[in-house]
């Protein structure tokens, strides 16, 4: 019965995605849904940006191991990212009528900045999309009780997500996100009710977690811990702002007011709802402490699925795995589309022999297939946890793309020379520290050092006499 309902759910998701594909007539439809989305769909798809495998599996596992202090990146940093996008970026970028976030760097600076930031954004998606494919493999392996291996499950999941994303683009992402968000909310709230009841009530679960010190959030009062805490927070809060999937969801709105409101509402709802799977997972420590202690050292990501499979009725299993698949697929589709669109529009487009819209749309679909193949291979051969894959994704955009974006929008003196130095110094400081310094040996996390270097580069390059000749577009000319 469980497998039958899961198959039905997948068929419905594919059907919605293929129906949405009938609305795609040009690249603007494919990338930003023709800018036709109402507030309720924008809110749902912004929420679904982050509510993926890491929220259902990764965050609860990290919380059980490290407490609240271990999840500062997500959901605290990630939800703040969406809220900040709505408050400070959505209106300005919406008015520029861009197809991708990387188009901004070309208009504000020049082609070189566009290419470098575009490549950084594309690379950042490798771990994130791979995390979703890994999680799909895990789910199919569990549901089939080992008949389908995790590798085979990864391939099956990637094929399903690719199918409806390939044809429908952002229209498919938006409509399936709305359907999948409904499943997520209903399914996980029901599981929370069942799990907390089995554990002695929601109040008892929360009280027990507090007594165990799970809610300790702020760092110890020393410089190393404080810097590490800030670095963890801003890695996702700032580093994920210059991301194409976030940009697409906001720019798909009917108007700029919906773009702003949808982003703030989606981010706020994500923050509060992310604690639902976390609470369910902690309930497992009271329901089956032996199972939890055994999996904490072995594979803590399996605690929640094992709780559902071994301690809950079939209906609860259907609701949970429906919600889990919804969370994974909603994130996977958007994060598969985003880097493919960026590569096509900002890297390949100038080299296409024919610059018509039809050729570009075909190119985008071909690149979607290629990127799907790359991230699936990465998922098959990587041994990094889901939470680490997602957390690591935003380091490169934090040190390369964030400062030029903010400075370009809010500082009129920001120049192309400043953007060059911000990128060069950010990368030059971050990359060697990330690759060669043992973890925990540096005075501060590599991405935080790179971020500070990027800020220094923008200030020095923009205030110094111009050395590089290039396009010096001013804030007033582009906004």
């Amino acid at each position: 019965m469980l497998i039958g309902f899961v198959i039905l759910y997948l068929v419905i998701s594919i059907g919605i995605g293929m129906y949405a594909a009938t609305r795609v007539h040009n690249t603007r439809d494919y990338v930003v849904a023709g800018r036709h989305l109402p507030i309720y769909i924008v809110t749902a798809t912004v929420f679904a940006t982050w509510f993926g495998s890491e929220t259902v599996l990764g965050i609860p596992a990290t919380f059980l191991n490290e407490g609240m202090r271990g999840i500062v990146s997500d959901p605290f940093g990630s939800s703040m990212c969406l809220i900040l996008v709505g408050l400070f970026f959505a209106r300005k970028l919406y008015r520029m009528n861009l197809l991708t976030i990387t188009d901004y760097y070309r208009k504000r600076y020049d082609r070189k900045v566009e290419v470098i930031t575009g490549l950084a954004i594309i690379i950042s998606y490798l771990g994130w999309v791979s995390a979703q494919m890994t999680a799909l493999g895990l789910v199919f392996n569990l549901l089939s009780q080992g008949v389908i291996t995790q590798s085979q499950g990864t391939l099956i999941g990637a094929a399903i997500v690719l199918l409806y994303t390939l044809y429908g683009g952002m229209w498919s992402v938006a409509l399936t996100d709305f359907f999948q968000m409904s499943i997520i909310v209903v399914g996980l709230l029901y599981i929370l009710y069942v799990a907390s009841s089995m554990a002695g009530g929601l109040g008892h679960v929360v009280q027990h977690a507090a007594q165990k010190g799970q809610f300790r959030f702020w760092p110890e009062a020393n410089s190393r811990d404080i810097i590490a805490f800030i670095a963890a927070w801003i890695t996702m809060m700032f580093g994920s702002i210059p991301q194409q999937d976030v940009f697409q969801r906001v720019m798909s709105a009917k108007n700029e007011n919906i773009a702003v409101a949808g982003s703030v509402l989606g981010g706020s709802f994500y923050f509060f709802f992310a604690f639902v799977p976390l609470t369910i997972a902690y309930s497992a420590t009271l329901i089956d402490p032996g199972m939890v202690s055994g999996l904490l050292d072995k594979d803590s990501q399996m605690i929640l699925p094992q709780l559902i499979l071994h301690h809950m009725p079939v209906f609860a299993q259907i609701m949970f795995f429906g919600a889990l698949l919804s969370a994974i697929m909603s994130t996977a589709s958007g994060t598969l589309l985003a880097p493919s669109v960026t590569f096509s529009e900002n890297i390949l487009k100038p080299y296409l022999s024919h610059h018509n819209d039809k050729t570009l749309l075909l190119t985008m679909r071909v690149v979607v297939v290629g990127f799907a193949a790359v991230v699936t291979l990465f998922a098959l051969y990587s041994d990094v946890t889901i939470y680490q894959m997602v957390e690591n994704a935003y380091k490169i955009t934090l040190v390369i793309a964030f400062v030029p974006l903010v400075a370009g929008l809010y500082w009129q003196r920001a120049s192309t020379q400043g953007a060059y130095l911000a990128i060069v110094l950010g990368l030059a400081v971050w990359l060697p520290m990330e690759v060669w310094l043992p973890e925990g040996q540096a005075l501060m996390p590599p991405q935080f050092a790179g971020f500070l270097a990027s800020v220094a580069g923008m200030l020095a390059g923009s205030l110094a006499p111009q050395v590089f000749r290039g396009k010096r577009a001013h804030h007033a000319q582009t906004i």
Side-chain angles (χ1 to χ4, degrees):
M1 183 182 294
L2 174 58
I3 295 175
F5 272 99
V6 168
I7 292 173
L8 177 62
Y9 164 78
L10 293 174
V11 170
I12 292 173
S13 294
I14 293 171
I16 293 172
M18 297 308 289
Y19 163 74
T22 63
R23 299 186 176 210
V24 176
H25 305 292
N26 52 52
T27 54
R28 185 158 292 272
D29 289 337
Y30 194 73
V31 179
V32 290
R35 284 192 160 191
H36 291 314
L37 300 184
I39 181 66
Y40 61 93
I41 292 185
V42 173
T43 300
T45 197
V46 167
F47 166 83
T49 305
W50 295 121
F51 209 97
S53 60
E54 69 282 0
T55 313
V56 182
L57 301 176
I59 294 176
T62 305
F63 174 75
L64 292 179
N65 280 306
E66 304 176 32
M68 195 78 78
R69 196 176 293 166
I71 58 172
V72 61
S73 293
D74 193 5
F76 290 93
S78 54
S79 57
M80 278 304 301
C81 157
L82 298 174
I83 293 170
L84 290 175
V85 166
L87 294 177
F88 299 105
F89 297 88
R91 198 176 300 277
K92 288 178 177 291
L93 292 173
Y94 193 92
R95 291 174 181 174
M96 295 180 69
N97 199 28
L98 306 171
L99 196 62
T100 70
I101 183 68
T102 315
D103 286 341
Y104 170 81
Y105 295 97
R106 181 183 68 251
K107 288 195 172 187
R108 182 62 175 86
Y109 302 111
D110 65 10
R111 168 68 178 161
K112 292 178 182 177
V113 177
E114 174 194 18
V115 171
I116 296 170
T117 54
L119 289 174
I121 290 169
I122 292 165
I123 291 170
S124 73
Y125 280 97
L126 182 61
W128 194 8
V129 189
S130 296
Q132 311 313 313
M133 301 308 180
T134 299
L136 284 172
L138 177 65
V139 171
F140 286 123
N141 175 253
L142 283 171
L143 290 174
S144 67
Q145 297 182 346
V147 174
I148 298 174
T149 67
Q150 185 161 337
S151 296
Q152 291 169 339
T154 298
L155 293 171
I156 293 170
I160 292 170
V161 173
L162 173 62
L163 180 61
Y164 68 78
T165 306
L166 175 64
Y167 292 102
M170 190 58 201
W171 268 117
S172 288
V173 171
L175 296 189
T176 54
D177 276 358
F178 183 72
F179 165 68
Q180 289 160 348
M181 177 185 169
S182 304
I183 301 295
I184 290 169
V185 172
V186 173
L188 288 182
L189 285 178
Y190 173 74
I191 295 298
L192 175 63
Y193 168 75
V194 175
S196 60
S197 298
M198 294 173 64
L202 184 59
H204 177 63
V205 173
V206 174
Q207 184 180 19
H208 191 277
Q211 290 174 349
K212 291 291 185 180
Q214 294 294 117
F215 295 145
R216 292 194 187 105
F217 179 70
W218 299 108
E220 299 295 333
N222 62 74
S223 59
R224 182 180 290 273
D225 284 351
I226 291 172
I227 292 173
F229 180 87
I230 295 172
W233 198 321
I234 70 169
T235 297
M236 289 190 74
M237 182 169 64
F238 291 165
S240 51
I241 287 176
Q243 288 286 354
Q244 177 62 18
D245 64 301
V246 175
F247 174 86
Q248 279 180 259
R249 284 160 160 80
V250 175
M251 296 305 115
S252 297
K254 280 185 177 181
N255 56 58
E256 64 182 63
N257 290 330
I258 290 177
V260 172
S263 185
V264 173
L265 289 173
S268 301
F269 186 50
Y270 171 77
F271 175 76
F272 290 108
F273 205 78
F275 287 92
V276 172
L278 184 151
T279 307
I280 297 170
Y282 194 81
S283 298
T285 64
L286 301 177
I287 297 170
D288 191 344
M291 180 268 289
V292 172
S293 62
L295 288 174
L296 277 176
D297 295 328
K298 184 179 179 183
D299 187 358
S300 55
Q301 295 173 154
M302 292 293 293
I303 290 173
L304 205 50
Q306 292 296 337
L307 171 70
I308 305 301
L309 285 172
H310 292 114
H311 293 278
M312 295 197 177
V314 173
F315 181 72
Q317 294 176 18
I318 292 170
M319 296 300 288
F320 173 77
F321 283 103
L324 178 57
L325 282 171
S326 295
I328 298 169
M329 291 173 67
S330 63
T331 300
S333 58
T335 52
L336 177 61
L337 179 65
S340 305
V341 165
T342 301
F343 187 74
S344 303
E345 167 72 11
N346 301 108
I347 307 298
L348 289 182
K349 184 178 177 180
Y351 302 104
L352 297 177
S353 56
H354 301 287
H355 288 274
N356 60 64
D357 192 79
K358 185 177 180 181
T359 302
L360 182 58
L361 180 57
L362 176 61
T363 302
M364 287 179 178
R365 284 174 165 152
V366 171
V367 174
V368 167
V369 176
F371 194 78
V374 171
V375 296
T376 302
L377 287 173
F378 186 83
L380 290 173
Y381 295 104
S382 176
D383 58 357
V384 179
T385 68
I386 291 171
Y387 190 86
Q388 288 172 325
M389 282 185 185
V390 174
E391 189 177 35
N392 291 337
Y394 307 106
K395 293 178 180 179
I396 188 170
T397 45
L398 175 67
V399 303
I400 289 180
F402 177 71
V403 171
L405 174 64
V406 176
L409 286 172
Y410 284 99
W411 189 33
Q412 202 168 31
R413 294 190 64 177
S415 68
T416 301
Q417 178 172 273
Y420 287 161
L421 282 178
I423 292 169
V424 170
L425 290 183
L427 190 61
V429 171
W430 166 69
L431 193 57
M433 291 179 66
E434 186 73 34
V435 174
W436 289 304
L437 278 182
E439 187 174 353
Q441 294 298 310
L443 293 176
M444 63 179 66
Q447 74 272 20
F448 188 63
F451 166 70
L452 295 178
S454 182
V455 173
M458 174 58 73
L459 292 173
S462 297
L463 295 175
Q466 293 296 302
V467 176
F468 301 105
R469 292 182 177 274
K471 183 179 178 181
R472 295 187 61 197
H474 289 290
H475 178 74
Q477 294 175 321
T478 58
I479 308 302

